[in-house]
Amino acid sequence: MTSSNGERRRGRRPGGTDTRTALLTAAREVFTEQGYDGATVRAIARKAGVDAAMVNHWFGGKEALFAEAVLQLPFNPREQIAQVLGTGDPATLGERIVRTFLTIWDAHDGGIFAAMIRSVASHEKVAKALREFFHTNVFGQLAGVATDNGELRSNLVASQMIGLGVVRYVAKFDPITATDVETVVKAVGPTLQRYLTGPLA
Amino acid sequence: MTSSNGERRRGRRPGGTDTRTALLTAAREVFTEQGYDGATVRAIARKAGVDAAMVNHWFGGKEALFAEAVLQLPFNPREQIAQVLGTGDPATLGERIVRTFLTIWDAHDGGIFAAMIRSVASHEKVAKALREFFHTNVFGQLAGVATDNGELRSNLVASQMIGLGVVRYVAKFDPITATDVETVVKAVGPTLQRYLTGPLA
């Protein structure tokens, strides 16, 4: 997906859109390796092979770069949710959300999930960015399939999925950190199904 | 609950158990205000009015002090869970767990919850301490009331409660961050009930 820095350097326009792409790619790697606090704009720019001023030019700063580079990774939430909502039996929607979530994050070893949680819990500006991001890209779609109280129902779905991510990828509780995907799907899927379309009271 | 530093200073034996208590109290305040990384042993000791060497003497270091001071706050999980499990209708156990969790954490504004999540996501040693703490103080008791697969069921309960804490106190998603306790109890209680005693597959 990414070429080496050496390749990027050749023929790149210093302020062009390939600089932006290179910064996003570098930011994902550095934030994931170093965490939000540990990652520096200088280190990200150096990995991207561009001047550090380009971070402000393209993103306005470290937080906005993080929000775009990390919160949208390792998948585009809006697209994934649209795909899950748009295909398959509505009665198995809960299971499909859990299966998609675990399949994607399992493939990425959860390091990015821990970095996201760490940043959200450490920086109110990142938490605010996450709220705005989820509101725009996630909750609206989920609310669209909810029977009523769409915003509360989408918050409840988020609570279970974020908590599942924390115990499986961050706290690494035993045995759920190593439980096979389909067992978790069968256990947690009905929870999401009820949160979206079942009785809440 | 706590006297002022000035009062503590008078008549305190430098290495006595009131030093230990003063350190726990100071550690809770400093870790909550500064986060795990930002809090220093020196600052905690200064707030407690004791020598920094007392932290090693009584706790072995910053991480152990954090684990005892922060992870056990604002309540003793073992005692709270024993109380919830030991009283009331087994059919409303899920609701009572949610009600107790929200009532306690709402009263503390969630700042300590965010500090706990931040530390667990930032430090593998703290995550390990949390795993050991939960295994010893929480999961064993929950597994005792589970119909089968006690450890997995207790992990599932933890996933929902931790996730609920994250969305209500850390990410502060709207509307769940301000939804009244009983509405959340009715929505989430049945989830825990099924995780503990219902069908998982």
Side-chain angles (χ1 to χ4, degrees):
Chain A
M1 187 171 102
T2 65
S3 57
S4 76
N5 283 345
E7 285 177 296
R8 275 203 218 97
R9 247 179 219 108
R10 289 197 297 274
R12 193 196 56 248
R13 292 172 302 169
T17 52
D18 53 353
T19 292
R20 192 177 191 285
T21 304
L23 280 169
L24 282 171
T25 303
R28 286 169 194 146
E29 294 176 30
V30 176
F31 279 129
T32 305
E33 287 166 13
Q34 309 288 332
Y36 183 84
D37 286 337
T40 63
V41 165
R42 181 183 298 273
I44 293 166
R46 186 166 56 235
K47 187 177 276 282
V50 305
D51 190 272
M54 289 296 103
V55 171
N56 279 327
H57 174 71
W58 281 105
F59 300 95
K62 178 178 166 183
E63 254 148 12
L65 175 59
F66 171 83
E68 182 158 354
V70 177
L71 296 188
Q72 294 202 25
L73 262 186
F75 56 99
N76 183 318
R78 177 197 287 277
E79 290 173 7
Q80 285 292 338
I81 291 170
Q83 190 176 338
V84 171
L85 295 182
T87 58
D89 183 356
T92 63
L93 179 54
E95 292 189 359
R96 282 181 286 125
I97 292 173
V98 180
R99 186 179 295 113
T100 300
F101 180 92
L102 292 177
T103 302
I104 291 174
W105 286 108
D106 276 11
H108 288 78
D109 249 349
I112 297 168
F113 195 91
M116 182 176 73
I117 291 292
R118 185 164 57 229
S119 298
V120 168
S122 302
H123 304 276
E124 172 51 32
K125 285 185 181 176
V126 176
K128 181 170 177 290
L130 184 82
R131 283 196 292 278
E132 294 169 352
F133 181 82
F134 268 66
H135 184 78
T136 303
N137 295 286
V138 176
F139 294 156
Q141 292 189 85
L142 291 176
V145 300
T147 44
D148 53 40
N149 297 299
E151 290 286 319
L152 177 59
R153 288 177 180 275
S154 62
N155 283 188
L156 289 166
V157 168
S159 80
Q160 176 60 86
M161 297 317 295
I162 290 171
L164 182 57
V166 170
V167 298
R168 188 172 175 95
Y169 305 117
V170 184
K172 296 177 185 167
F173 287 145
D174 181 45
I176 206 167
T177 195
T179 301
D180 67 282
V181 168
E182 287 307 312
T183 298
V184 181
V185 165
K186 293 298 180 194
V188 178
T191 298
L192 300 198
Q193 198 71 33
R194 187 172 68 81
Y195 285 165
L196 286 171
T197 62
L200 289 188
Chain B
M1 185 171 103
T2 65
S3 57
S4 76
N5 284 346
E7 285 177 296
R8 276 202 218 97
R9 248 179 220 108
R10 287 198 298 273
R12 195 197 55 248
R13 291 171 301 166
T17 53
D18 53 353
T19 292
R20 191 176 191 285
T21 303
L23 281 168
L24 282 171
T25 303
R28 285 166 195 149
E29 293 176 32
V30 176
F31 279 129
T32 304
E33 286 165 13
Q34 309 289 331
Y36 183 83
D37 285 337
T40 63
V41 165
R42 182 183 298 272
I44 293 166
R46 187 166 57 234
K47 186 177 278 280
V50 305
D51 190 272
M54 288 296 103
V55 171
N56 278 327
H57 174 72
W58 281 105
F59 300 95
K62 178 178 166 183
E63 254 147 12
L65 175 60
F66 171 84
E68 182 158 354
V70 176
L71 296 188
Q72 294 202 25
L73 261 187
F75 56 97
N76 184 317
R78 177 197 287 278
E79 290 174 6
Q80 285 292 339
I81 291 169
Q83 190 176 338
V84 171
L85 295 182
T87 58
D89 183 355
T92 64
L93 179 55
E95 292 189 359
R96 282 182 284 124
I97 292 173
V98 180
R99 186 179 295 112
T100 300
F101 179 92
L102 292 177
T103 302
I104 290 174
W105 286 108
D106 276 9
H108 288 79
D109 250 348
I112 296 168
F113 195 91
M116 182 175 73
I117 290 292
R118 185 164 57 230
S119 298
V120 169
S122 302
H123 304 276
E124 172 51 32
K125 284 185 182 176
V126 176
K128 182 169 178 287
L130 184 82
R131 283 197 292 278
E132 294 169 353
F133 182 81
F134 268 66
H135 183 79
T136 302
N137 294 286
V138 176
F139 294 157
Q141 291 188 85
L142 291 177
V145 300
T147 44
D148 53 41
N149 296 299
E151 289 287 318
L152 177 60
R153 288 176 180 276
S154 61
N155 283 188
L156 289 166
V157 169
S159 79
Q160 177 60 86
M161 297 316 295
I162 290 171
L164 182 58
V166 170
V167 298
R168 189 172 175 95
Y169 305 118
V170 184
K172 296 178 184 164
F173 287 144
D174 180 47
I176 206 167
T177 195
T179 301
D180 68 280
V181 168
E182 286 307 312
T183 297
V184 181
V185 164
K186 293 298 181 195
V188 178
T191 298
L192 300 198
Q193 198 72 33
R194 188 173 67 82
Y195 285 165
L196 286 170
T197 61
L200 288 188

